[in-house]
Each structure stands twice: as C-alpha cells, then as structure tokens.
Amino acid sequence: MSDIEAIRAQLLGDIEAAADAGAVEALRVAALGKAGSITGLLKTLGGMSPEERQVQGPAIHGLRESVTAALAARKDVLDAAALDVRLAAEAIDMTLPADAAPRGSVHPVSQVMDELAEIFADMGFAVATGPEIEDDWRNFTALNIPETHPARAMHDTFYFPDANAEGQKMLLRTHTSPVQIRTMMSQEPPIRIIAPGRVYRSDSDATHTPMFHQVEGLVIDRGIHMGHLKWTLETFLKAYFERDDIVLRLRPSYFPFTEPSAEVDVGYKQEKGRRIVGGNGDDEGHAWMELLGSGMVNRRVIANCGLDPDEWQGFAFGVGVDRLAMLKYGMDDLRAFFDGDLRWLSHYGFGALSVPTLSGGISA
Ligand code: PHE
C-alpha cells in the first residue's frame, strides 16, 4: 500500500469514528487546514519532476476529495442525530391536559362580549363588525345626523386631520351604530345582528373613559314593532343577569336614527360596596343605571341604505358593554378596566378555558 493509500485509510477510519461535530472539525483541520497533512502533501507537488507530478498529482487531489466528502458525510450523519435528540427532548404531547394553573385570564369586557354573543346567537343573531376608524357619513350623516345637527357636538368626536380619498372626514367611531349602515348596505334583509366593539369619545371620569365598548343590535324585517324590541331586550337582560326579577325602565328618548326612541335603565341597589341588579328602583332608595339606547330604526336611515322603508322596518339598540360588566360583576370604577393592573385582572378576570354557554352557565 502506497503512502497515500495508508493516509486515506487512516483518515477515513478516523472520520467514521468521530463522535461529534467538534471531532469532525478537528480532523478537518488536521488534514486540510493550513498545516494539515494533505495540505503538506499538496505542497510537495511543486518540488517534483513533471513525470512524478503526473502520477502523484491526481493521487493527492483524489485523496483530498475523498477526505472532504467523508468529512461532509460524517457531519450530516452527526447533525441529523443531534436534531433527533433535540426533537425528542423538546417534544410536546398535544394530548396532555392543558396547564392546570393557567396564568392569563379573560378580561371582563371580553367575557361579557362572549356572553352577549352566546345569548343573542340563541335568538338568531349573527355577529357583525366594522372598523374603528370610520368615515363621517357612516358615523353620522347616514344615521340622520347631518353636519349641523347638535347631536354631533354631544359625541365629543376625535377627528383625524385628513379626509379620505372621497373627501370624507375620518374619525374614531363614537358608537357602534355605523355597523348598522354597513350591514344594511351589504346584506339583504331580513337582518338580525349584534355588533360588539370599541368606540371613542373625548370624555374621562369615573364612569367615562375615552375608549369604551358597545354592542349594537339591529333587526330589519317586515312588520317589526316596539313589542319585538321590548321582548328582545327583556329576554336578553334576564339571560345576561341570570335572574328573572330584572327591573327595566323604558323612558321616551331621542336619537336621530331611531323614531320613536327609548332609553332603557336597569334598577340596582348597593350591597356591601357592590352593585346588585334587580332592586326595585327608586321606591326603596335604589338607583337606576342607564344601560342602553334603543328605538325603531328611522325611515330615513333605512332609505339612506337603499332599502324601502315602506317594506322594511326594524329596531336597533346600543348597550355599554363596560357598564354591563360593572353591574353584573360589581366593579365601581370604569377606569380600572383599562389600567392593566394584574391584581385587578386576576381578581375580576375569567378562566381562559371556561366558555360561556346558555346550558353550561353564562358566567361559568
Ligand atoms: N348609538 C347610540 C349611542 O351611542 C345608542 C343607540 C343605538 C341608540 C341604537 C338607539 C339605537 O348613544
């Protein structure tokens, strides 16, 4: 066996026996590095006679190639084995039960929105959504609140400095009512939707925050009247508060987009620093909390959306989600909802795995 064959046999054996990537690299340096054995052989070619070089040259280059290939092959094998070890160590058994002590909790606002979706789904309502950045026409004009209407001032609107491509003023929606417009313009009646989401008004104290949450309700069909509205609200509030002795007060009111309009208050009493819904209202010193605005959808709004108001009627309502949460779960400062205080969240938050259902309990 020539020198070269002996070197080849030795190196290939060593490479095959290398136990890890570090050993492979050490062998590479020893053979092919600057001072490596094969590098040394290549250097001897310069001092050879042409005849000798013709024999030795291909032999040495061949040696280098086979060693290079063996190093790469060994490295692949070791890498694959290392990956297998890692995959085995990091494997997650998806069939195991979830962590028994989950750290996160569901925010009361999300919980209440889930409860509302569940209650209204049972009455045949779908969930609709719209953007928080809205245009002036959908937030106001289409809802029968023209430019000069005093209701615009009441809304303390956050406007954007620039108009959109159609020259519409842009704003942060002040209520979820623009989703009524979006729904009527994109769907054929009959329509039954609720639209939960964030709304914005420049207002801030213990019961008002610049961002808060509403759920809009909209029903459009033939022959809809106030009776349907009242039944729907009563059924919803009884299911939501999980008690039958809910006292509601419907007061005549005014909204440009409903006619007639009614404001709905719910009676509550204060008990050990906690609000309890279902008191008798004023008679026993209990208080009323204004919960929602509602009414029959104004004919003009129906017409603005391209529907014939002689054929289609409906009712709409808008509820403050944060207020619903405060009343049911006994918080008294709205601002705490948005402070992100972990103590508040772990006290008032809901288990991430308990989903509200009508059969399993809405506040499960
Ligand atoms: N959009 C009204 C508000 O934010 C509430 C409302 C909705 C009233 C639908 C009537 C009908 O105050």
Side-chain angles (χ1 to χ4, degrees), residues 143 145 154-155 174-178 180 199 201 212 214-217 254-258 260-263 290 292-297 315-319:
L143 287 160
I145 317 178
M154 276 158 48
H155 275 217
T174 57
H175 50 180
T176 43
S177 299
Q180 288 187 35
V199 301
R201 291 183 202 176
F212 58 105
Q214 287 188 336
V215 165
E216 194 80 7
Y254 172 78
F255 298 100
F257 34 92
T258 48
S261 303
E263 202 110 33
E290 181 188 319
L292 37 85
S294 65
M296 302 305 297
V297 180
F315 64 80
F317 57 89
V319 201

Side-chain angles (χ1 to χ4, degrees), residues 172-295:
L172 291 175
R173 66 178 180 189
T174 57
H175 50 180
T176 43
S177 299
V179 184
Q180 288 187 35
I181 304 300
R182 290 183 175 273
T183 307
M184 278 188 267
M185 295 189 73
S186 63
Q187 286 177 30
E188 296 285 321
I191 290 168
R192 269 183 279 182
I193 55 117
I194 58 166
R198 295 191 179 107
V199 301
Y200 301 82
R201 291 183 202 176
S202 177
D203 202 353
S204 191
D205 60 36
T207 53
H208 297 88
T209 48
M211 185 279 294
F212 58 105
H213 300 82
Q214 287 188 336
V215 165
E216 194 80 7
L218 175 69
V219 168
I220 300 285
D221 206 335
R222 294 185 177 91
I224 298 292
H225 54 71
M226 285 290 272
H228 297 120
L229 168 63
K230 185 163 183 265
W231 179 87
T232 303
L233 293 179
E234 260 173 22
T235 306
F236 142 55
L237 289 169
K238 282 178 180 168
Y240 173 73
F241 286 112
E242 298 173 73
R243 52 193 295 171
D244 278 331
D245 61 345
I246 293 296
V247 272
L248 293 186
R249 185 169 76 173
L250 269 75
R251 279 180 294 119
S253 185
Y254 172 78
F255 298 100
F257 34 92
T258 48
E259 182 58 35
S261 303
E263 202 110 33
V264 182
D265 305 334
V266 62
Y268 72 90
K269 55 187 172 185
Q270 205 82 32
E271 210 170 74
K272 294 194 209 93
R274 196 169 177 276
R275 289 194 167 110
I276 302 294
V277 175
N280 293 333
D282 288 339
D283 311 356
E284 293 166 30
H286 301 146
W288 294 101
M289 193 184 222
E290 181 188 319
L291 257 199
L292 37 85
S294 65

Side-chain angles (χ1 to χ4, degrees), residues 99-118:
D99 188 343
R103 256 158 298 175
S105 64
V106 173
H107 194 285
V109 168
S110 304
Q111 166 77 15
V112 169
M113 285 181 172
D114 289 350
E115 293 179 11
L116 298 184
E118 186 64 26

Side-chain angles (χ1 to χ4, degrees), residues 20-37:
D20 55 38
V24 173
E25 176 62 7
L27 286 168
R28 187 192 67 77
V29 171
L32 302 169
K34 251 194 197 137
S37 51

Side-chain angles (χ1 to χ4, degrees), residues 8-187:
R8 188 199 309 273
Q10 174 73 40
L11 277 173
L12 294 188
D14 288 350
I15 291 168
E16 198 49 44
D20 55 38
V24 173
E25 176 62 7
L27 286 168
R28 187 192 67 77
V29 171
L32 302 169
K34 251 194 197 137
S37 51
I38 297 177
T39 311
L41 285 175
L42 285 165
K43 280 182 192 152
T44 62
L45 288 174
M48 290 178 190
S49 66
E51 296 74 29
E52 203 180 354
R53 196 182 303 139
Q54 227 166 33
V55 179
Q56 292 296 320
I60 297 172
H61 281 292
L63 169 64
R64 192 185 60 169
E65 264 155 43
S66 60
V67 167
T68 304
L71 285 166
R74 185 64 190 154
K75 190 167 178 302
D76 284 349
V77 169
L78 290 171
D79 284 352
L83 183 61
D84 283 346
V85 169
R86 198 174 141 203
L87 287 176
E90 292 178 2
I92 295 173
D93 184 349
M94 301 298 283
T95 65
L96 288 176
D99 188 343
R103 256 158 298 175
S105 64
V106 173
H107 194 285
V109 168
S110 304
Q111 166 77 15
V112 169
M113 285 181 172
D114 289 350
E115 293 179 11
L116 298 184
E118 186 64 26
I119 292 167
F120 278 102
D122 202 51
M123 292 193 263
F125 285 65
V127 172
T129 54
E132 290 166 31
I133 296 176
E134 191 50 278
D135 59 61
D136 194 86
W137 188 79
R138 289 185 177 87
N139 195 82
F140 288 128
T141 314
L143 287 160
N144 195 35
I145 317 178
E147 196 100 37
T148 52
H149 199 285
R152 289 212 179 192
M154 276 158 48
H155 275 217
D156 302 309
T157 311
F158 290 111
Y159 283 99
F160 286 87
D162 300 320
N164 72 4
E166 287 118 49
Q168 280 286 321
K169 263 191 274 180
M170 299 302 284
L171 45 82
L172 291 175
R173 66 178 180 189
T174 57
H175 50 180
T176 43
S177 299
V179 184
Q180 288 187 35
I181 304 300
R182 290 183 175 273
T183 307
M184 278 188 267
M185 295 189 73
S186 63
Q187 286 177 30

